[in-house]
Amino acid sequence: MGIYEELQARGLIAQVTDEARVRELVNTGKAVFYIGFDPTADSLHVGHFMALCLMKRLQMAGNKPIALLGGGTGLIGDPSGKTDMRKMLTKEQIQHNIDCFKVQMSRFIDFSDGKALMVNNADWLTKLNYIELLREAGPHFTVNRMLAAECYKQRWEKGLTFIEFNYMIMQAYDFYKLYTDYGCNLQFGGDDQWSNMLAGTELIRRKIGGDADAMTQVLLLNSAGQKMGKTVSGAVWLDPEKTSPYEFYQYWRNVDDADVLRCIRLLTFLPLDEIDAMEKWEGSELNKAKEILAYELTKLVHGEEEAEKAQAAAKALFNGGPAAEIPTLLLKDDDFENDEIGIIPLLVKAGFALSNGDARRAITKDGSIKVDGRKITDPFEKFNKSVLAKGEVILSKGKKNHKKIQL
């Protein structure tokens, strides 16, 4: 089985412009491919996870990845899949985010000895003269065709700014530059990027002509994994300072039964025959599958040692034992009044409630709050500073969210 066939078996491929050409490129290690990452935060998150795993798989098969950091397009904002205009970031904020991305990407991709490239599209986009860009790319796009793109239609009624309207041209120009400067012959993206990716292929074909069409095929990866990155408490980050290894482990340990095997196929590097055997699992065996998923992905992102710790902490908590790796809620002296703190401010400080009212509802209506396994029913309950100072008290919301309280 070639790498292309493996990607198909794992459910990663949704659509391809020329399947025979793409198969030949990736199976023979001749693909120089790129995936773009707009630096909208200072950490990659689960939404980027599948793309990083895909780049790792293809590199292991001898292909060359280009991680395109959107220092230029990030100044504009991609309207794809968005209901509102993205918040504008400064150049300094974007550069800081890019620096953070570089560190995290190196855990997945080998950039040594030219095996992969990391490129910032600000290097060419910010140097473009507007008139020059209009002459360079403008004649190859019609407004009618651009407005027919799904990413624009979704925003049409609510309002699409002119600056966002330019994003398709920017992304198309990216592929053109990567093709001419780095020999990039393949691009990957989620289904919300399909129109933008085709625009890049079209721009190269029109400007270069000749054999360009045969060398700029587009492969669309299944974006199911890109939609896994949101939980009640917000995004699941790859930065351990934002989402601890334990929280990361617990996120995957608590996926729905219906999703666990799909996630194992999409995101882990376990052999396909092992995964096929799991298809027969049901009932309690699915919990074992979830543990495998959580362990494998935590190991991939945070390393084997952290994965072992997170797994041990999760099992210890489940069995009522100590949980050293549970995320910590740090309290200060001024959080206490007369050496006491109420359960409601505790929940808000832990991020388990958005407001005092939200915390009160979790106690009185949901019944989801526990302290050291004891259900809390009184919203006015208070805890003494001397008790919390021991650092052994566990605050829980439901079965998935736990924090150890420390001063």
Side-chain angles (χ1 to χ4, degrees), residues 180-253:
T180 56
D181 293 0
Y182 300 99
C184 181
N185 53 30
L186 195 60
Q187 56 180 325
F188 289 76
D191 54 11
D192 60 345
Q193 295 292 315
W194 185 238
S195 298
N196 292 343
M197 294 192 297
L198 288 179
T201 301
E202 183 69 9
L203 180 60
I204 294 174
R205 188 177 66 81
R206 286 175 175 267
K207 288 187 66 64
I208 306 288
D211 295 332
D213 189 43
M215 293 301 292
T216 56
Q217 308 308 319
V218 181
L219 185 147
L220 176 65
L221 64 96
N222 188 316
S223 64
Q226 296 179 315
K227 299 171 183 175
M228 299 173 187
K230 297 292 181 182
T231 64
V232 174
S233 59
V236 177
W237 305 99
L238 305 192
D239 183 348
E241 297 298 320
K242 288 178 171 289
T243 299
S244 72
Y246 173 81
E247 290 173 306
F248 189 84
Y249 178 95
Q250 283 293 86
Y251 173 76
W252 296 107
R253 173 62 182 80

Side-chain angles (χ1 to χ4, degrees), residues 307-349:
E308 293 283 354
K309 289 180 181 178
Q311 187 173 66
K315 289 182 177 179
L317 184 64
F318 181 78
N319 294 321
E325 298 304 317
I326 291 176
T328 299
L329 166 62
L330 289 174
L331 298 179
K332 301 177 182 179
D333 287 339
D334 56 10
D335 290 325
F336 294 85
E337 184 176 349
N338 297 325
D339 287 340
E340 290 184 327
I341 185 171
I343 183 64
I344 286 180
L346 267 180
L347 292 172
V348 174
K349 290 179 183 297

Side-chain angles (χ1 to χ4, degrees), residues 85-101:
M85 183 175 174
R86 180 182 287 164
K87 178 183 176 182
M88 287 285 191
L89 299 177
T90 66
K91 291 182 179 179
E92 292 74 21
Q93 288 173 318
I94 289 174
Q95 186 57 54
H96 170 71
N97 295 345
I98 284 175
D99 293 339
C100 295
F101 278 23

